[in-house]
Amino acid sequence: MKSPLAPGIRVITSFSRDSWYRGFILFLTFLFYTAYHLSRKPISIVKSELHRNCSTVPPPSDVNVTNNETWCDWAPFDQDNYQTLFGVLDNCFLVAYAIGMFFSGIFGERLSLRYYLSFGMLMSGLFTSLFGLGFYWNIHSLGYYAFVQVMNGLMQTTGWPAVVACVGNWFGKGKRGFIMGVWNSHTSVGNILGSLIAGVFVSSEWGMSFIVPGIIIAFTGILCFFFLVEKPEDVNCAAPQHHSVQENNETEPLLRNSVNGGTVANGAVSTETPEVVEEEHPEAISFCGALRIPGVVEFSLCLMFAKLVSYTFLYWLPLYISNVAHFRAKEAGDMSTLFDVGGILGGIMAGLVSDATGGRATTCCVMLIAAAPMLFLYNYIGQKSLGITIGMLLLCGGLVNGPYALITTAVSADLGTHESLRGNSRALSTVTAIIDGTGSIGAALGPLLAGLISPSGWNNVFYMLISADVLACLLLSRLVYKEIKDWLRRPLRFRGFERI
């Protein structure tokens, strides 16, 4: 008599070979982009160490602090315009990232994703480490740090279009919102780990706050080179179905119009299941062709304002907490991770709701509307007590990062595999780069505006963020209207039941 299999083996054998590969690719790309964000975070933690309140710092016995109120600061950030200088560093990275992103998708479609990602992570590790080496080399030149930020920004553009293209190649549309909502938590996980790692060294040797993340992302680049599989076909796995049978007869509300003016079939419904034909296009899609995909322009502009808010928090929240709540650099950095924890939950919730309703634009709009008053409340009551601070950071993080996560993942993948492309899988990287590149313009503007506005008071910074949230919501109004109109016109199918 055959002995029963061990429970663990039964679990392992219950998954198919394809499922194991898909899980492995999802984990691997999660790890890659966690490393990308982990290496971006240290500068926001180190800011409060580069310029400190020296009156609260015990001076060393060998330092003359008479008539020197900035003896503990790191030049050139010991000046009164230090916030502006921090804004310059942020924008050197973010402007380079925004410009480079538009070209990154084009390169990503024409080069091997494995080589492209490996090169990008190795170079990102180099330039992240070079920033930290400025501490040990005693460099006080703004030009040096600005140059390193520009080069790091360009290298970091290799990440997002490539990982989204890879995941889009492996996963179909059915549960894409939920899967990518969970997967997109790499952004917040990377921010959290980056904050914690930088916080360990920030008060003693802030250079290590950059060098350690630099080593980590370089190591993941080596893993990418040895283990990444770009497409299911490369290992004889089944390709995912990007469009359901229903979508062949009935397009989705926000993607109803075809780029090429596609036809709609009328007449009796056949009882046979139509074959989904995917045509191979050897040539990559053009930039203008990607812009003509319905929904690309609206979601790109919406992401610009959503990312403005998210990246302002990414780069300025620790300094805000330090200034307003009077926390030390490490404590402020640790507290700021709660915003990213909320972002993980918000991204997953946005994916689940949008999968269940089919309303990507409506889900984003509702969360953006709710985020505006929450930002106002956080600024006015967020520091009243520790409990309120924790609760407001989690709530604001979820509402701010939820739409950002949904647009950069599920929406980008939906549009990059839109039925009007007729199976041209090489469009995904370009579409993703356009959407995230436009969003990165907002990511560059947010920290810059925060640096310029913050000297006049943090209240004005929050008014700017609230205005950006409202504008992001308004830009989706046409798509929201089409989704609601479509729900009223035909049955609204939720997972598990339907409303007629």
Side-chain angles (χ1 to χ4, degrees):
M1 183 178 174
K2 230 177 168 183
S3 61
L5 283 174
I9 299 301
R10 284 205 300 271
V11 172
I12 292 173
T13 55
S14 66
F15 294 97
S16 66
R17 178 175 178 273
D18 286 17
S19 297
W20 279 110
Y21 265 109
R22 284 189 167 84
F24 176 68
I25 294 302
L26 202 67
F27 169 76
L28 210 56
T29 51
F30 180 95
L31 190 66
F32 296 161
Y33 214 70
T34 295
Y36 271 102
H37 259 266
L38 180 149
S39 65
R40 296 179 195 176
K41 187 64 178 178
I43 191 169
S44 66
I45 305 300
V46 172
K47 280 177 182 176
S48 53
E49 184 69 19
L50 297 178
H51 187 96
R52 305 156 70 187
N53 181 1
C54 296
S55 62
T56 63
V57 180
S61 57
D62 58 341
V63 175
N64 182 12
V65 299
T66 307
N67 298 324
N68 185 4
E69 297 178 352
T70 61
W71 65 268
C72 67
D73 297 337
W74 187 269
F77 308 105
D78 56 347
Q79 304 171 34
D80 291 337
N81 65 338
Y82 70 96
Q83 289 178 317
T84 302
L85 298 181
F86 288 150
V88 169
L89 287 187
D90 292 342
N91 274 271
C92 284
F93 177 92
L94 292 168
V95 171
Y97 184 88
I99 294 171
M101 184 59 71
F102 289 103
F103 299 98
S104 180
I106 297 172
F107 290 132
E109 285 181 4
R110 290 159 175 80
L111 301 172
S112 164
L113 294 179
R114 182 166 64 91
Y115 294 155
Y116 193 51
L117 273 170
S118 299
F119 170 78
M121 284 189 276
L122 287 169
M123 296 305 294
S124 293
L126 171 65
F127 288 109
T128 301
S129 299
L130 282 174
F131 197 107
L133 287 171
F135 172 80
Y136 297 99
W137 294 343
N138 202 28
I139 296 175
H140 297 277
S141 167
L142 181 64
Y144 170 82
Y145 296 109
F147 172 76
V148 169
Q149 285 287 85
V150 168
M151 295 306 299
N152 199 12
L154 291 174
M155 293 302 106
Q156 291 260 334
T157 61
T158 57
W160 190 241
V163 294
V164 172
C166 190
V167 172
N169 288 339
W170 278 89
F171 290 89
K173 190 174 180 181
K175 297 179 181 178
R176 186 177 276 164
F178 172 67
I179 290 171
M180 286 196 156
V182 175
W183 176 75
N184 191 65
S185 62
H186 52 48
T187 298
S188 297
V189 172
N191 290 341
I192 292 168
L193 291 176
S195 297
L196 296 176
I197 291 171
V200 171
F201 306 103
V202 65
S203 298
S204 54
E205 298 183 48
W206 61 259
M208 293 301 293
S209 298
F210 292 90
I211 293 172
V212 173
I215 293 172
I216 291 172
I217 190 173
F219 177 73
T220 57
I222 297 171
L223 286 180
C224 176
F225 180 81
F226 283 102
F227 294 105
L228 182 66
V229 181
E230 299 177 24
K231 296 178 181 179
E233 298 86 353
D234 295 342
V235 286
N236 298 318
C237 289
Q241 184 174 309
H242 292 296
H243 306 289
S244 65
V245 171
Q246 178 188 353
E247 285 180 0
N248 291 333
N249 301 311
E250 179 180 322
T251 56
E252 289 189 273
L254 71 87
L255 307 175
R256 189 177 296 124
N257 299 318
S258 167
V259 172
N260 299 315
T263 59
V264 179
N266 296 316
V269 178
S270 171
T271 57
E272 296 182 6
T273 303
E275 184 181 355
V276 179
V277 179
E278 295 213 347
E279 300 175 9
E280 287 298 329
H281 289 243
E283 69 282 351
I285 192 172
S286 68
F287 186 86
C288 293
L291 285 176
R292 287 197 294 270
I293 298 172
V296 167
V297 172
E298 287 95 335
F299 276 113
S300 296
L301 293 174
C302 172
L303 184 62
M304 181 173 72
F305 289 101
K307 223 170 173 183
L308 182 152
V309 179
S310 181
Y311 268 65
T312 300
F313 274 96
L314 174 67
Y315 281 91
W316 287 90
L317 182 57
L319 186 62
Y320 169 77
I321 294 174
S322 178
N323 287 354
V324 176
H326 307 294
F327 284 16
R328 291 191 301 176
K330 185 181 185 305
E331 295 168 344
D334 292 345
M335 184 65 70
S336 70
T337 61
L338 292 171
F339 185 85
D340 295 298
V341 173
I344 294 174
L345 301 175
I348 294 172
M349 184 61 65
L352 281 170
V353 172
S354 67
D355 274 347
T357 63
R360 307 282 201 216
T362 305
T363 302
C364 290
C365 197
V366 170
M367 296 185 80
L368 288 167
I369 289 173
M374 291 302 105
L375 292 176
F376 180 85
L377 286 175
Y378 173 63
N379 184 40
Y380 277 91
I381 68 170
Q383 311 301 330
K384 295 288 184 183
S385 69
L386 183 61
I388 293 176
T389 300
I390 293 172
M392 292 301 297
L393 281 173
L394 289 171
L395 186 58
C396 289
L399 294 173
V400 167
N401 283 343
Y404 163 36
L406 187 63
I407 294 172
T408 55
T409 54
V411 169
S412 295
D414 287 353
L415 296 173
T417 55
H418 183 229
E419 60 183 4
S420 63
L421 298 168
R422 303 186 65 80
N424 184 358
S425 61
R426 298 182 68 187
L428 183 53
S429 186
T430 295
V431 170
T432 302
I434 289 173
I435 292 175
D436 200 50
T438 306
S440 297
I441 296 173
L445 286 174
L448 173 64
L449 292 174
L452 296 174
I453 296 172
S454 57
S456 66
W458 287 105
N459 287 349
N460 295 328
V461 174
F462 276 86
Y463 294 147
M464 180 264 290
L465 298 178
I466 291 168
S467 301
D469 254 338
V470 173
L471 286 172
C473 183
L474 291 175
L475 286 164
L476 291 181
S477 56
R478 184 183 72 86
L479 300 180
V480 171
Y481 172 75
K482 290 176 74 175
E483 287 180 350
I484 294 174
K485 187 178 177 181
D486 189 79
W487 288 337
L488 296 175
R489 180 176 59 82
R490 63 182 176 86
L492 178 61
R493 293 174 175 83
F494 291 91
R495 204 172 297 280
F497 69 93
E498 62 179 50
R499 189 193 74 196
I500 308 257

